[in-house]
Coordinates of all heavy atoms in Angstrom, one line a residue:
M11 N 31.1 -53.5 19.8 CA 30.9 -53.1 18.4 C 32.1 -53.5 17.5 O 33.2 -53.2 17.9 CB 30.7 -51.6 18.4 CG 29.3 -51.2 18.0 SD 29.3 -49.5 17.9 CE 27.8 -49.2 17.2
T12 N 31.7 -54.0 16.4 CA 32.8 -54.3 15.5 C 33.1 -53.1 14.6 O 32.4 -52.1 14.6 CB 32.4 -55.5 14.6 OG1 31.3 -55.1 13.8 CG2 32.0 -56.7 15.4
K13 N 34.2 -53.3 13.9 CA 34.7 -52.2 13.0 C 33.7 -51.9 11.9 O 33.5 -50.8 11.5 CB 36.1 -52.5 12.5 CG 36.9 -51.4 12.1 CD 38.3 -51.8 11.8 CE 39.1 -50.6 11.9 NZ 40.5 -50.8 11.6
D14 N 33.1 -52.9 11.3 CA 32.1 -52.8 10.3 C 30.9 -52.0 10.8 O 30.3 -51.2 10.1 CB 31.7 -54.1 9.7 CG 32.8 -54.7 8.9 OD1 33.7 -54.0 8.4 OD2 32.8 -56.0 8.7
N15 N 30.4 -52.4 12.0 CA 29.3 -51.7 12.5 C 29.5 -50.2 12.8 O 28.7 -49.4 12.5 CB 28.8 -52.4 13.8 CG 28.1 -53.7 13.6 OD1 27.7 -54.0 12.5 ND2 28.0 -54.5 14.6
S16 N 30.7 -49.9 13.2 CA 31.0 -48.5 13.5 C 31.1 -47.7 12.2 O 30.8 -46.6 12.1 CB 32.3 -48.4 14.3 OG 33.4 -48.9 13.6
K17 N 31.7 -48.4 11.1 CA 31.7 -47.7 9.8 C 30.3 -47.5 9.3 O 30.0 -46.5 8.7 CB 32.5 -48.6 8.8 CG 34.0 -48.5 9.0 CD 34.7 -49.3 7.9 CE 36.2 -49.2 8.1 NZ 37.0 -49.9 7.1
N18 N 29.4 -48.5 9.4 CA 28.1 -48.4 9.0 C 27.3 -47.3 9.8 O 26.6 -46.5 9.2 CB 27.3 -49.7 9.1 CG 27.7 -50.7 8.0 OD1 28.3 -50.3 7.0 ND2 27.5 -51.9 8.3
L19 N 27.6 -47.2 11.1 CA 27.0 -46.2 11.9 C 27.4 -44.8 11.5 O 26.7 -43.9 11.4 CB 27.3 -46.5 13.4 CG 26.7 -45.5 14.4 CD1 25.1 -45.5 14.3 CD2 27.1 -45.8 15.8
F20 N 28.7 -44.7 11.2 CA 29.3 -43.4 10.7 C 28.7 -43.0 9.4 O 28.4 -41.8 9.2 CB 30.8 -43.6 10.6 CG 31.5 -42.3 10.2 CD1 31.6 -41.2 11.1 CD2 32.0 -42.1 8.9 CE1 32.2 -40.1 10.7 CE2 32.6 -41.0 8.5 CZ 32.7 -39.9 9.4
K21 N 28.5 -43.9 8.5 CA 27.9 -43.6 7.2 C 26.5 -43.2 7.4 O 26.0 -42.2 6.7 CB 27.9 -44.9 6.3 CG 29.3 -45.2 5.7 CD 29.2 -46.4 4.9 CE 30.6 -46.8 4.4 NZ 30.6 -48.0 3.5
I22 N 25.7 -43.8 8.3 CA 24.3 -43.4 8.5 C 24.3 -42.0 9.1 O 23.4 -41.2 8.7 CB 23.7 -44.5 9.5 CG1 23.5 -45.8 8.7 CG2 22.3 -43.9 10.0 CD1 23.0 -46.9 9.6
I23 N 25.2 -41.7 10.0 CA 25.2 -40.4 10.6 C 25.6 -39.3 9.6 O 24.9 -38.3 9.5 CB 26.2 -40.4 11.8 CG1 25.6 -41.2 13.0 CG2 26.4 -38.9 12.3 CD1 26.6 -41.4 14.1
V24 N 26.5 -39.6 8.8 CA 26.9 -38.7 7.7 C 25.8 -38.5 6.7 O 25.5 -37.3 6.3 CB 28.2 -39.2 7.0 CG1 28.4 -38.4 5.7 CG2 29.4 -39.1 7.9
A25 N 25.1 -39.5 6.4 CA 23.9 -39.4 5.5 C 22.8 -38.6 6.1 O 22.2 -37.8 5.5 CB 23.4 -40.8 5.1
A26 N 22.6 -38.8 7.4 CA 21.5 -38.1 8.1 C 21.8 -36.6 8.2 O 21.0 -35.8 8.0 CB 21.3 -38.7 9.5
V27 N 23.1 -36.3 8.5 CA 23.5 -34.9 8.5 C 23.4 -34.3 7.2 O 23.0 -33.1 7.0 CB 25.0 -34.8 9.1 CG1 25.5 -33.4 8.9 CG2 25.0 -35.2 10.6
A28 N 23.8 -35.0 6.1 CA 23.7 -34.5 4.7 C 22.2 -34.2 4.4 O 21.9 -33.1 3.8 CB 24.3 -35.5 3.8
V29 N 21.3 -35.1 4.7 CA 19.9 -34.9 4.4 C 19.4 -33.7 5.2 O 18.7 -32.8 4.7 CB 19.1 -36.2 4.8 CG1 17.6 -35.9 4.8 CG2 19.4 -37.3 3.8
F30 N 19.8 -33.6 6.5 CA 19.4 -32.5 7.3 C 19.9 -31.1 6.7 O 19.1 -30.2 6.7 CB 19.9 -32.7 8.8 CG 19.6 -31.5 9.6 CD1 18.4 -31.3 10.1 CD2 20.6 -30.6 10.0 CE1 18.1 -30.2 11.0 CE2 20.4 -29.5 10.8 CZ 19.1 -29.3 11.3
L31 N 21.1 -31.1 6.3 CA 21.7 -29.9 5.7 C 20.9 -29.5 4.4 O 20.7 -28.4 4.1 CB 23.2 -30.0 5.4 CG 24.0 -30.0 6.7 CD1 25.5 -30.2 6.3 CD2 23.9 -28.7 7.5
V32 N 20.6 -30.5 3.6 CA 19.9 -30.3 2.3 C 18.5 -29.7 2.7 O 18.0 -28.7 2.1 CB 19.7 -31.6 1.5 CG1 18.7 -31.4 0.4 CG2 21.1 -31.9 0.9
L33 N 17.8 -30.3 3.6 CA 16.5 -29.8 4.1 C 16.6 -28.4 4.6 O 15.8 -27.5 4.4 CB 15.9 -30.7 5.1 CG 15.4 -32.0 4.6 CD1 14.9 -32.9 5.7 CD2 14.3 -31.8 3.5
L34 N 17.7 -28.1 5.3 CA 17.9 -26.8 5.9 C 18.1 -25.7 4.8 O 17.6 -24.6 4.8 CB 19.1 -26.8 6.8 CG 19.4 -25.6 7.7 CD1 18.2 -25.5 8.7 CD2 20.7 -25.8 8.5
V35 N 18.9 -26.1 3.8 CA 19.1 -25.2 2.6 C 17.9 -25.0 1.9 O 17.5 -23.8 1.5 CB 20.3 -25.7 1.7 CG1 20.3 -25.0 0.4 CG2 21.6 -25.7 2.4
V36 N 17.1 -26.0 1.6 CA 15.8 -25.8 0.9 C 14.9 -24.9 1.7 O 14.2 -24.0 1.1 CB 15.1 -27.2 0.7 CG1 13.7 -27.1 0.2 CG2 16.0 -28.0 -0.3
A37 N 14.8 -25.1 3.0 CA 13.9 -24.3 3.8 C 14.4 -22.8 3.8 O 13.6 -21.9 3.7 CB 13.9 -24.8 5.3
L38 N 15.7 -22.6 3.8 CA 16.3 -21.3 3.7 C 15.9 -20.6 2.4 O 15.5 -19.4 2.4 CB 17.8 -21.3 3.9 CG 18.5 -20.0 3.8 CD1 18.1 -19.1 5.0 CD2 20.0 -20.2 3.8
I39 N 16.1 -21.3 1.3 CA 15.8 -20.8 0.0 C 14.3 -20.4 -0.1 O 13.9 -19.4 -0.6 CB 16.2 -21.7 -1.1 CG1 17.7 -21.8 -1.2 CG2 15.6 -21.3 -2.5 CD1 18.3 -22.8 -2.1
Y40 N 13.4 -21.4 0.4 CA 12.0 -21.1 0.4 C 11.6 -19.9 1.1 O 10.8 -19.0 0.7 CB 11.3 -22.4 1.0 CG 9.8 -22.2 1.1 CD1 8.9 -22.2 0.0 CD2 9.2 -21.9 2.4 CE1 7.6 -22.0 0.1 CE2 7.9 -21.8 2.5 CZ 7.0 -21.8 1.4 OH 5.7 -21.6 1.6
N41 N 12.2 -19.7 2.3 CA 11.9 -18.5 3.1 C 12.4 -17.2 2.5 O 11.8 -16.2 2.6 CB 12.4 -18.7 4.6 CG 11.5 -19.6 5.4 OD1 10.3 -19.7 5.2 ND2 12.1 -20.4 6.3
L42 N 13.6 -17.3 1.9 CA 14.1 -16.1 1.2 C 13.2 -15.7 0.0 O 12.9 -14.5 -0.2 CB 15.5 -16.4 0.7 CG 16.6 -16.4 1.7 CD1 17.9 -16.8 1.1 CD2 16.7 -15.1 2.4
V43 N 12.7 -16.7 -0.7 CA 11.7 -16.4 -1.8 C 10.5 -15.8 -1.2 O 9.9 -14.8 -1.8 CB 11.4 -17.6 -2.6 CG1 10.3 -17.4 -3.6 CG2 12.7 -18.1 -3.4
R44 N 9.9 -16.3 -0.2 CA 8.7 -15.8 0.5 C 9.0 -14.4 1.0 O 8.1 -13.5 0.8 CB 8.3 -16.7 1.6 CG 7.1 -17.5 1.3 CD 6.6 -18.4 2.5 NE 6.2 -17.5 3.6 CZ 6.1 -18.0 4.8 NH1 6.4 -19.2 5.1 NH2 5.7 -17.2 5.8
L45 N 10.1 -14.2 1.6 CA 10.5 -12.9 2.1 C 10.6 -11.8 1.0 O 10.1 -10.7 1.1 CB 11.8 -12.9 2.9 CG 12.3 -11.6 3.6 CD1 11.3 -11.2 4.6 CD2 13.6 -11.8 4.2
S46 N 11.2 -12.2 -0.1 CA 11.3 -11.3 -1.2 C 9.9 -10.9 -1.8 O 9.6 -9.8 -2.1 CB 12.1 -12.0 -2.3 OG 12.1 -11.2 -3.5
A47 N 9.0 -11.9 -1.9 CA 7.6 -11.6 -2.3 C 6.9 -10.7 -1.4 O 6.2 -9.8 -1.8 CB 6.9 -13.0 -2.5
E48 N 7.1 -10.9 -0.1 CA 6.4 -10.1 0.9 C 7.0 -8.7 0.9 O 6.2 -7.7 1.1 CB 6.5 -10.7 2.3 CG 5.7 -12.0 2.5 CD 4.2 -11.8 2.3 OE1 3.7 -10.7 2.8 OE2 3.6 -12.6 1.7
N49 N 8.3 -8.5 0.6 CA 8.9 -7.2 0.5 C 8.3 -6.5 -0.7 O 8.1 -5.3 -0.6 CB 10.4 -7.3 0.5 CG 11.0 -7.5 1.9 OD1 10.4 -7.2 2.9 ND2 12.2 -8.1 1.9
K50 N 8.1 -7.2 -1.8 CA 7.6 -6.6 -3.0 C 6.1 -6.1 -2.7 O 5.7 -5.0 -3.1 CB 7.6 -7.5 -4.2 CG 8.9 -7.7 -4.8 CD 8.9 -8.7 -5.9 CE 10.3 -9.0 -6.4 NZ 10.2 -10.0 -7.5
R51 N 5.4 -6.9 -2.0 CA 4.0 -6.6 -1.6 C 4.0 -5.4 -0.7 O 3.2 -4.5 -0.9 CB 3.3 -7.8 -1.0 CG 1.9 -7.5 -0.7 CD 1.2 -8.8 -0.2 NE -0.2 -8.6 0.1 CZ -0.7 -8.5 1.3 NH1 0.1 -8.5 2.3 NH2 -2.0 -8.2 1.5
L52 N 4.9 -5.3 0.2 CA 5.0 -4.2 1.2 C 5.3 -2.9 0.4 O 4.7 -1.9 0.7 CB 6.1 -4.5 2.2 CG 6.3 -3.4 3.3 CD1 5.0 -3.1 4.1 CD2 7.5 -3.7 4.1
D53 N 6.2 -3.0 -0.6 CA 6.6 -1.8 -1.4 C 5.4 -1.3 -2.1 O 5.1 -0.1 -2.3 CB 7.7 -2.1 -2.3 CG 9.1 -2.3 -1.6 OD1 9.2 -1.9 -0.4 OD2 10.0 -2.9 -2.1
S54 N 4.6 -2.3 -2.7 CA 3.4 -1.9 -3.4 C 2.4 -1.3 -2.6 O 1.8 -0.3 -2.9 CB 2.8 -3.2 -4.1 OG 1.6 -2.9 -4.6
L55 N 2.2 -1.8 -1.4 CA 1.2 -1.2 -0.4 C 1.7 0.2 0.0 O 0.9 1.1 0.2 CB 1.0 -2.1 0.8 CG 0.3 -3.4 0.5 CD1 0.3 -4.3 1.7 CD2 -1.1 -3.2 0.0
K56 N 3.0 0.4 0.2 CA 3.5 1.7 0.6 C 3.3 2.7 -0.5 O 2.9 3.9 -0.3 CB 5.0 1.6 0.9 CG 5.3 1.0 2.3 CD 6.8 1.0 2.5 CE 7.1 0.4 3.9 NZ 8.5 0.4 4.2
A57 N 3.4 2.3 -1.8 CA 3.1 3.2 -2.9 C 1.7 3.5 -3.0 O 1.3 4.7 -3.2 CB 3.6 2.5 -4.2
Q58 N 0.8 2.5 -2.7 CA -0.6 2.8 -2.7 C -1.0 3.8 -1.6 O -1.8 4.7 -1.7 CB -1.4 1.5 -2.5 CG -1.5 0.7 -3.7 CD -2.3 -0.6 -3.5 OE1 -2.8 -0.9 -2.4 NE2 -2.6 -1.4 -4.5
A59 N -0.4 3.6 -0.4 CA -0.6 4.5 0.7 C -0.2 5.9 0.4 O -0.9 6.8 0.7 CB 0.1 4.0 2.0
A60 N 0.9 6.1 -0.2 CA 1.4 7.4 -0.6 C 0.4 8.0 -1.6 O 0.1 9.2 -1.5 CB 2.8 7.3 -1.2
Y61 N -0.1 7.2 -2.6 CA -1.0 7.7 -3.5 C -2.3 8.2 -2.8 O -2.8 9.3 -3.1 CB -1.3 6.7 -4.6 CG -2.5 7.0 -5.5 CD1 -2.3 7.9 -6.5 CD2 -3.7 6.3 -5.3 CE1 -3.4 8.2 -7.3 CE2 -4.7 6.6 -6.2 CZ -4.6 7.6 -7.2 OH -5.6 7.9 -8.0
Y62 N -2.8 7.4 -2.0 CA -4.1 7.8 -1.3 C -3.9 8.9 -0.3 O -4.8 9.8 -0.2 CB -4.7 6.6 -0.5 CG -5.2 5.5 -1.5 CD1 -4.8 4.2 -1.4 CD2 -6.1 5.9 -2.5 CE1 -5.3 3.3 -2.3 CE2 -6.6 5.0 -3.4 CZ -6.2 3.7 -3.3 OH -6.7 2.7 -4.2
E63 N -2.7 9.1 0.3 CA -2.4 10.2 1.1 C -2.4 11.5 0.3 O -2.9 12.5 0.7 CB -1.1 10.0 1.8 CG -1.1 9.0 2.9 CD -1.9 9.5 4.1 OE1 -2.1 10.7 4.4 OE2 -2.5 8.6 4.8
S64 N -1.9 11.4 -0.9 CA -1.9 12.6 -1.8 C -3.3 13.0 -2.2 O -3.7 14.2 -2.2 CB -1.0 12.4 -3.0 OG -1.6 11.5 -3.9
I65 N -4.1 12.0 -2.5 CA -5.5 12.2 -2.8 C -6.2 12.9 -1.6 O -7.0 13.8 -1.8 CB -6.2 10.9 -3.3 CG1 -5.7 10.5 -4.6 CG2 -7.8 11.1 -3.3 CD1 -6.3 9.2 -5.1
I66 N -6.0 12.4 -0.4 CA -6.6 12.9 0.8 C -6.2 14.4 1.0 O -7.0 15.2 1.3 CB -6.2 12.1 2.0 CG1 -7.0 10.7 1.9 CG2 -6.6 12.8 3.3 CD1 -6.5 9.7 3.0
G67 N -4.9 14.6 0.7 CA -4.4 16.0 0.8 C -5.1 17.0 -0.2 O -5.5 18.1 0.2
K68 N -5.2 16.5 -1.4 CA -5.9 17.3 -2.4 C -7.4 17.5 -2.0 O -7.9 18.6 -2.2 CB -5.8 16.6 -3.8 CG -4.5 16.7 -4.4 CD -4.4 15.9 -5.7 CE -3.0 15.8 -6.2 NZ -3.0 15.0 -7.5
N69 N -8.0 16.5 -1.6 CA -9.4 16.7 -1.1 C -9.6 17.6 0.0 O -10.5 18.3 0.1 CB -10.1 15.3 -0.8 CG -10.3 14.5 -2.1 OD1 -10.4 15.0 -3.2 ND2 -10.5 13.2 -1.9
G70 N -8.6 17.5 0.9 CA -8.6 18.5 2.1 C -8.5 19.9 1.6 O -9.2 20.8 2.1
E71 N -7.6 20.1 0.6 CA -7.5 21.5 0.1 C -8.8 21.9 -0.6 O -9.2 23.1 -0.4 CB -6.4 21.5 -1.0 CG -5.0 21.3 -0.4 CD -3.9 21.2 -1.4 OE1 -4.2 21.3 -2.6 OE2 -2.8 20.9 -1.0
F72 N -9.5 21.0 -1.3 CA -10.7 21.4 -1.9 C -11.8 21.7 -0.9 O -12.6 22.6 -1.1 CB -11.2 20.2 -2.9 CG -12.5 20.6 -3.6 CD1 -12.5 21.5 -4.6 CD2 -13.6 19.9 -3.3 CE1 -13.6 21.8 -5.3 CE2 -14.8 20.2 -4.0 CZ -14.8 21.2 -4.9
I73 N -11.8 20.9 0.2 CA -12.8 21.1 1.2 C -12.6 22.5 1.9 O -13.5 23.2 2.1 CB -12.8 20.0 2.3 CG1 -13.3 18.7 1.7 CG2 -13.5 20.4 3.5 CD1 -13.1 17.5 2.5
D74 N -11.3 22.8 2.1 CA -11.0 24.1 2.6 C -11.4 25.2 1.7 O -12.0 26.3 2.1 CB -9.5 24.3 2.9 CG -9.0 23.4 4.0 OD1 -9.9 23.0 4.9 OD2 -7.8 23.1 4.1
Y75 N -11.2 25.0 0.4 CA -11.7 26.0 -0.6 C -13.2 26.2 -0.6 O -13.7 27.3 -0.7 CB -11.2 25.7 -2.0 CG -11.8 26.5 -3.1 CD1 -11.5 27.8 -3.2 CD2 -12.7 25.9 -4.0 CE1 -12.0 28.6 -4.2 CE2 -13.2 26.7 -5.0 CZ -12.9 28.0 -5.1 OH -13.5 28.8 -6.1
C76 N -13.9 25.1 -0.4 CA -15.4 25.1 -0.5 C -15.9 25.9 0.7 O -17.1 26.3 0.7 CB -15.9 23.7 -0.5 SG -15.7 22.8 -2.0
Q77 N -15.1 26.1 1.8 CA -15.6 26.8 2.9 C -15.3 28.3 2.9 O -15.6 29.0 3.8 CB -15.0 26.2 4.2 CG -15.5 24.8 4.4 CD -14.8 24.0 5.5 OE1 -13.8 24.5 6.1 NE2 -15.4 22.9 5.9
T78 N -14.7 28.7 1.8 CA -14.3 30.2 1.7 C -15.5 31.0 1.2 O -16.4 30.4 0.5 CB -13.1 30.4 0.7 OG1 -13.5 29.9 -0.6 CG2 -11.9 29.6 1.1
P79 N -15.6 32.2 1.5 CA -16.7 33.1 1.0 C -16.8 33.2 -0.5 O -17.8 33.3 -1.1 CB -16.4 34.4 1.7 CG -15.5 34.1 2.8 CD -14.8 32.9 2.5
E80 N -15.6 33.2 -1.2 CA -15.6 33.3 -2.6 C -16.3 32.1 -3.3 O -17.1 32.2 -4.2 CB -14.1 33.3 -3.1 CG -13.4 34.6 -2.7 CD -12.8 34.5 -1.4 OE1 -12.6 33.4 -0.8 OE2 -12.4 35.6 -0.8
F81 N -16.0 30.9 -2.8 CA -16.7 29.7 -3.3 C -18.2 29.7 -3.0 O -19.0 29.4 -3.9 CB -16.0 28.4 -2.7 CG -16.8 27.2 -3.2 CD1 -16.5 26.6 -4.4 CD2 -17.7 26.6 -2.4 CE1 -17.2 25.5 -4.9 CE2 -18.4 25.4 -2.8 CZ -18.1 24.9 -4.1
I82 N -18.5 30.1 -1.8 CA -20.0 30.1 -1.5 C -20.7 31.1 -2.3 O -21.8 30.8 -2.9 CB -20.1 30.4 0.0 CG1 -19.5 29.3 0.8 CG2 -21.6 30.6 0.4 CD1 -19.4 29.5 2.3
E83 N -20.1 32.3 -2.6 CA -20.8 33.3 -3.4 C -20.9 32.7 -4.9 O -21.9 32.8 -5.5 CB -20.0 34.6 -3.4 CG -20.6 35.6 -4.3 CD -19.8 36.9 -4.3 OE1 -18.9 37.1 -3.5 OE2 -20.1 37.7 -5.2
Q84 N -19.8 32.2 -5.4 CA -19.8 31.7 -6.8 C -20.9 30.6 -6.9 O -21.6 30.5 -7.9 CB -18.4 31.1 -7.1 CG -18.4 30.5 -8.5 CD -17.2 29.6 -8.7 OE1 -16.4 29.5 -7.8 NE2 -17.1 29.0 -9.9
Y85 N -20.9 29.7 -5.9 CA -21.9 28.5 -6.0 C -23.3 29.1 -5.9 O -24.2 28.6 -6.7 CB -21.6 27.6 -4.8 CG -22.4 26.3 -4.9 CD1 -21.9 25.2 -5.7 CD2 -23.7 26.2 -4.3 CE1 -22.7 24.0 -5.8 CE2 -24.4 25.0 -4.4 CZ -23.9 24.0 -5.1 OH -24.6 22.8 -5.2
A86 N -23.6 30.0 -5.0 CA -24.9 30.6 -4.9 C -25.3 31.3 -6.2 O -26.5 31.1 -6.6 CB -24.9 31.5 -3.7
R87 N -24.5 32.0 -6.8 CA -24.8 32.7 -8.0 C -25.0 31.7 -9.2 O -26.0 31.8 -9.9 CB -23.7 33.7 -8.4 CG -23.7 34.9 -7.6 CD -22.5 35.8 -8.0 NE -22.5 37.0 -7.2 CZ -23.1 38.1 -7.5 NH1 -24.0 38.2 -8.5 NH2 -23.0 39.2 -6.7
E88 N -24.2 30.7 -9.3 CA -24.2 29.8 -10.4 C -25.3 28.8 -10.4 O -26.0 28.5 -11.3 CB -22.8 29.1 -10.6 CG -22.7 28.4 -11.9 CD -21.3 27.8 -12.0 OE1 -20.3 28.5 -11.5 OE2 -21.1 26.8 -12.7
Y89 N -25.4 28.2 -9.2 CA -26.4 27.0 -9.1 C -27.7 27.4 -8.4 O -28.7 26.7 -8.6 CB -25.7 25.9 -8.3 CG -24.5 25.3 -9.1 CD1 -23.2 25.6 -8.7 CD2 -24.7 24.5 -10.2 CE1 -22.1 25.0 -9.3 CE2 -23.7 24.0 -10.9 CZ -22.4 24.3 -10.5 OH -21.3 23.7 -11.1
L90 N -27.7 28.4 -7.6 CA -29.0 28.8 -6.9 C -29.6 30.0 -7.4 O -30.6 30.5 -6.9 CB -28.7 28.9 -5.4 CG -28.0 27.7 -4.7 CD1 -27.7 28.0 -3.3 CD2 -28.9 26.5 -4.8
D91 N -29.0 30.6 -8.4 CA -29.5 31.9 -9.1 C -29.7 33.0 -8.0 O -30.7 33.7 -8.1 CB -30.7 31.6 -9.9 CG -30.5 30.7 -11.1 OD1 -29.3 30.8 -11.6 OD2 -31.3 29.8 -11.4
M92 N -28.9 33.1 -7.1 CA -29.0 34.1 -6.1 C -28.2 35.4 -6.5 O -27.2 35.3 -7.2 CB -28.5 33.6 -4.7 CG -29.3 32.4 -4.2 SD -28.7 31.8 -2.6 CE -29.5 32.9 -1.5
I93 N -28.7 36.5 -6.1 CA -28.0 37.8 -6.3 C -28.1 38.7 -5.1 O -28.9 38.4 -4.2 CB -28.7 38.5 -7.5 CG1 -30.2 38.8 -7.2 CG2 -28.6 37.8 -8.8 CD1 -30.9 39.7 -8.2
Y94 N -27.2 39.7 -5.0 CA -27.2 40.6 -3.9 C -28.4 41.6 -4.1 O -29.0 41.8 -5.2 CB -26.0 41.5 -3.9 CG -24.8 40.7 -3.4 CD1 -23.7 40.4 -4.2 CD2 -24.7 40.4 -2.0 CE1 -22.6 39.7 -3.7 CE2 -23.6 39.7 -1.5 CZ -22.5 39.4 -2.4 OH -21.4 38.7 -1.9
R95 N -28.8 42.1 -2.9 CA -29.9 43.1 -3.0 C -29.5 44.3 -3.8 O -28.4 44.8 -3.7 CB -30.3 43.6 -1.6 CG -31.0 42.6 -0.8 CD -31.5 43.2 0.5 NE -32.1 42.1 1.3 CZ -31.8 41.7 2.5 NH1 -30.8 42.3 3.1 NH2 -32.3 40.7 3.1
G96 N -30.4 44.8 -4.7 CA -30.1 45.9 -5.5 C -29.4 45.5 -6.8 O -29.3 46.4 -7.7
E97 N -29.0 44.3 -7.0 CA -28.4 43.9 -8.3 C -29.6 43.6 -9.3 O -30.6 43.2 -8.9 CB -27.6 42.6 -8.1 CG -26.2 42.8 -7.6 CD -25.4 41.6 -7.6 OE1 -25.9 40.5 -7.6 OE2 -24.2 41.7 -7.7
T98 N -29.3 43.8 -10.5 CA -30.2 43.5 -11.6 C -29.8 42.2 -12.3 O -28.6 42.2 -12.8 CB -30.3 44.6 -12.6 OG1 -30.6 45.8 -11.9 CG2 -31.4 44.4 -13.6
P99 N -30.6 41.2 -12.3 CA -30.2 40.0 -13.0 C -30.2 40.2 -14.5 O -31.0 40.8 -15.0 CB -31.2 38.9 -12.6 CG -32.4 39.7 -12.1 CD -31.9 41.0 -11.6
V100 N -29.1 39.7 -15.1 CA -29.0 39.8 -16.6 C -29.0 38.3 -17.1 O -28.2 37.5 -16.7 CB -27.7 40.5 -17.0 CG1 -27.6 40.5 -18.5 CG2 -27.7 41.9 -16.4
G101 N -30.0 38.0 -17.9 CA -30.1 36.7 -18.5 C -29.6 36.7 -19.9 O -29.8 37.6 -20.7
V102 N -28.9 35.6 -20.2 CA -28.4 35.4 -21.5 C -29.0 34.1 -22.1 O -28.9 33.1 -21.5 CB -26.8 35.3 -21.5 CG1 -26.3 35.0 -22.9 CG2 -26.2 36.5 -20.9
N103 N -29.6 34.2 -23.2 CA -30.3 33.1 -23.8 C -29.4 32.4 -24.8 O -28.8 32.8 -25.6 CB -31.6 33.4 -24.4 CG -32.6 33.8 -23.3 OD1 -32.5 33.4 -22.2 ND2 -33.6 34.7 -23.6

């Protein structure tokens, strides 16, 4: 190999390494942007999950209340027009 050929080979290797490093940096930046977007999406989904968990908790409390004797009596009087034996219904027009 001559000196010129070795210089040309060295230049080609340096250029190939430079291109490889540029591609590596571009891929790294692309993946960091994607990761950031996915983290934002994950945070959004966590917030939604917390919101729905709170709604489920509130509905659970309401379901528990609906099973109490007080609620059943109130519902029966208001919507089913039921009264206890011996009570006199009073109507308001």
Side-chain angles (χ1 to χ4, degrees):
M11 243 183 174
T12 65
K13 205 171 200 182
D14 288 336
N15 285 344
S16 64
K17 283 184 180 181
N18 287 339
L19 181 62
F20 181 73
K21 287 179 184 179
I22 291 172
I23 291 173
V24 169
V27 168
V29 169
F30 176 74
L31 289 176
V32 167
L33 289 176
L34 194 62
V35 169
V36 168
L38 177 66
I39 292 171
Y40 174 75
N41 283 328
L42 286 175
V43 169
R44 253 182 63 199
L45 182 63
S46 174
E48 290 299 320
N49 283 337
K50 286 179 185 177
R51 184 170 180 260
L52 179 62
D53 292 340
S54 171
L55 290 174
K56 284 181 180 179
Q58 283 181 356
Y61 170 73
Y62 290 127
E63 287 292 332
S64 71
I65 289 177
I66 289 170
K68 288 177 186 176
N69 286 341
E71 292 171 4
F72 181 70
I73 289 171
D74 291 341
Y75 170 69
C76 289
Q77 295 173 349
T78 62
E80 293 84 17
F81 175 80
I82 294 170
E83 179 182 346
Q84 175 197 1
Y85 189 87
R87 287 178 179 273
E88 189 172 333
Y89 295 105
L90 305 175
D91 296 326
M92 298 179 83
I93 58 172
Y94 284 112
R95 288 190 183 121
E97 280 187 335
T98 304
V100 178
V102 179
N103 291 332

